[in-house]
Amino acid sequence: MAWGKCQAYNLHKRNQTKLILGLVLGLFGVALMYYTFPINTYVFADFRQLPILISVSLGGWIAGLVATVIIFVYRLVFLSGVSMASVWGAVNALGTFIIAILILKDYKLSLQRWAWTLGLSAGLSVVVFSIILVENKWVPIGTFCLVFIVGGMFTLAMLLYLKRSDDSLRIMREAAHRDFLTGLFNARAFEVIMEQRIASSTRYRVPITLLLIDIDHFKQVNDTFGHPAGDAVLSQLAMVLRDTFHPGDHIARKGGEEFAVIVDDCDSERIEIIAERLRRNVENQIFILPDGTEHKITISAGSATYPDIVEELLFERADQALYQAKTSGRNRVCRASSI
């Protein structure tokens, strides 16, 4: 659950969150060493391997290595001192990590992968206990394997359940920031992104450009063909926008027939080329209405570039450029520097 929250709020610090995950699960493995059941008078079993498997399945080799090192060192040195049992116990933890890395790679958690990993880890424990124990060993070893497998499958069920819960929450959070019709960012999310991109532009001294887009004579589409036709035009225009801009650019529906794009690493000269390409793409696109009718539209666009224009005036100047494009004939692009 903590890992899901880390992923949601610290996407730019993935390695850091993996280290934290490994640390937490390593300490959890240490705690499990104090919740044991006896194999015989001198040897006790625990489930310290499970935190290692969890760390690798969620955080890859980084989290797995951190958790394994903590468990390895604590079992070898601190739990009951250095002995043959502690050495083999530490080796068991290291072997489990290697097995997990080989099978639970690419963070693809599945029943088959987990079952193989769990079975090999249990097999490694059998080998270790066979070396440590001299007599009367197969019944307790069999008992351990049974309980370990059951506990491991319960852990898988829990992980899959939490993953589905995290995915559902992520989808809900994403939906709250998206326009229901086009799937683009909504106006509220766009304002937050705009603040973030301006801060990043200031920090790294890379220009960004705000492009405002408006569909020409969109009211006529609704009046002539109906609102479902207008919705079809809006959703298809969103696809044209996605195809025209890079994945790193942020596209939003501001409301009605107005759209906005933040174009990263783009100065006032380059935006003219990009905006003109968008204008041509829209002009040449055939929009299919719900009744099968083919329709064409045009757009007008206005741009303003930061830091050429200060943050407080960026939207205002881009809107002025858009207004100039519409009043000078539509189906054209203007930039704020030409006003």
Side-chain angles (χ1 to χ4, degrees):
M1 294 170 67
W3 174 240
K5 292 187 179 296
C6 284
Q7 285 185 307
Y9 297 109
N10 295 287
L11 293 176
H12 60 295
K13 299 178 180 179
R14 290 188 180 275
N15 288 337
Q16 180 178 326
T17 54
K18 290 175 184 178
L19 289 173
I20 295 173
L21 177 71
L23 175 63
V24 171
L25 285 169
L27 295 175
F28 180 51
V30 169
L32 285 177
M33 294 182 202
Y34 290 94
Y35 291 88
T36 63
F37 60 92
I39 292 291
N40 65 15
T41 306
Y42 305 101
V43 180
F44 296 84
D46 57 61
F47 293 152
R48 80 192 72 149
Q49 298 103 308
L50 292 180
I52 297 175
L53 300 185
I54 296 171
S55 63
V56 173
S57 65
L58 294 182
W61 71 269
I62 295 177
L65 182 62
V66 173
T68 302
V69 168
I70 293 173
I71 293 171
F72 181 93
V73 172
Y74 195 87
R75 179 63 185 93
L76 184 63
V77 179
F78 297 104
L79 185 62
S80 57
V82 177
S83 64
M84 186 177 77
S86 66
V87 170
W88 281 110
V91 169
N92 191 10
L94 182 60
T96 299
F97 169 69
I98 295 173
I99 291 170
I101 286 295
L102 293 176
I103 300 178
L104 296 177
K105 54 186 178 181
D106 304 325
Y107 315 127
K108 294 179 180 178
L109 188 61
S110 67
L111 175 60
Q112 184 178 9
R113 285 172 178 258
W114 186 265
W116 271 105
T117 307
L118 201 63
L120 290 174
S121 179
L124 180 61
S125 297
V126 169
V127 172
V128 170
F129 286 135
S130 298
I131 294 172
I132 297 174
L133 299 175
V134 178
E135 55 185 16
N136 299 326
K137 56 186 176 181
W138 296 116
V139 172
I141 287 176
T143 303
F144 166 79
C145 289
L146 177 62
V147 177
F148 180 74
I149 294 296
V150 171
M153 295 309 294
F154 173 79
T155 301
L156 173 65
M158 182 178 64
L159 286 173
L160 292 176
Y161 172 78
L162 292 174
K163 184 178 185 302
R164 287 193 296 269
S165 299
D166 287 341
D167 289 344
S168 298
L169 289 173
R170 178 181 54 79
I171 291 170
M172 291 174 62
R173 283 193 296 264
E174 185 73 11
H177 294 87
R178 295 286 178 175
D179 172 63
F180 74 96
L181 178 63
T182 63
L184 303 176
F185 288 111
N186 58 29
R188 183 177 179 182
F190 191 77
E191 291 177 1
V192 175
I193 295 171
M194 191 70 194
E195 293 178 2
Q196 295 173 346
R197 300 317 303 156
I198 288 178
S200 178
S201 173
T202 303
R203 184 181 306 114
Y204 298 108
R205 299 181 180 180
V206 175
I208 62 170
T209 294
L210 170 65
L211 182 67
L212 298 182
I213 303 154
D214 193 84
I215 302 176
D216 296 328
H217 305 297
F218 182 70
K219 186 175 183 299
Q220 294 181 6
V221 176
N222 284 328
D223 293 343
T224 304
F225 301 101
H227 287 282
D231 290 346
V233 168
L234 291 171
S235 62
Q236 291 173 58
L237 177 59
M239 290 188 285
V240 176
L241 289 167
R242 291 191 188 96
D243 291 339
T244 302
F245 293 95
H246 295 298
D249 298 327
H250 304 280
I251 312 169
R253 182 186 175 198
K254 290 284 290 176
E257 69 272 27
E258 187 173 339
F259 296 80
V261 185
I262 302 172
V263 188
D264 283 328
D265 194 12
C266 179
D267 58 24
S268 57
E269 301 293 332
R270 185 164 175 259
I271 192 59
E272 287 195 83
I273 300 172
I274 297 173
E276 179 59 26
R277 182 172 69 238
L278 172 64
R279 188 199 64 78
R280 290 196 307 269
N281 289 347
V282 174
E283 186 179 40
N284 296 328
Q285 176 74 21
I286 297 175
F287 292 80
I288 307 300
L289 304 185
D291 61 359
T293 302
E294 296 183 353
H295 186 71
K296 285 198 169 188
I297 64 170
T298 61
I299 60 168
S300 299
S303 66
T305 300
Y306 179 85
D308 298 348
I309 298 172
V310 296
E311 176 183 355
E312 293 76 13
L313 297 178
L314 200 61
F315 269 100
E316 178 183 338
R317 297 295 298 276
D319 194 56
Q320 289 175 0
L322 173 61
Y323 179 77
Q324 183 185 26
K326 296 185 79 67
T327 56
S328 59
R330 292 185 169 85
N331 191 24
R332 64 189 63 204
V333 297
C334 293
R335 59 174 180 168
S337 57
S338 64
I339 296 177

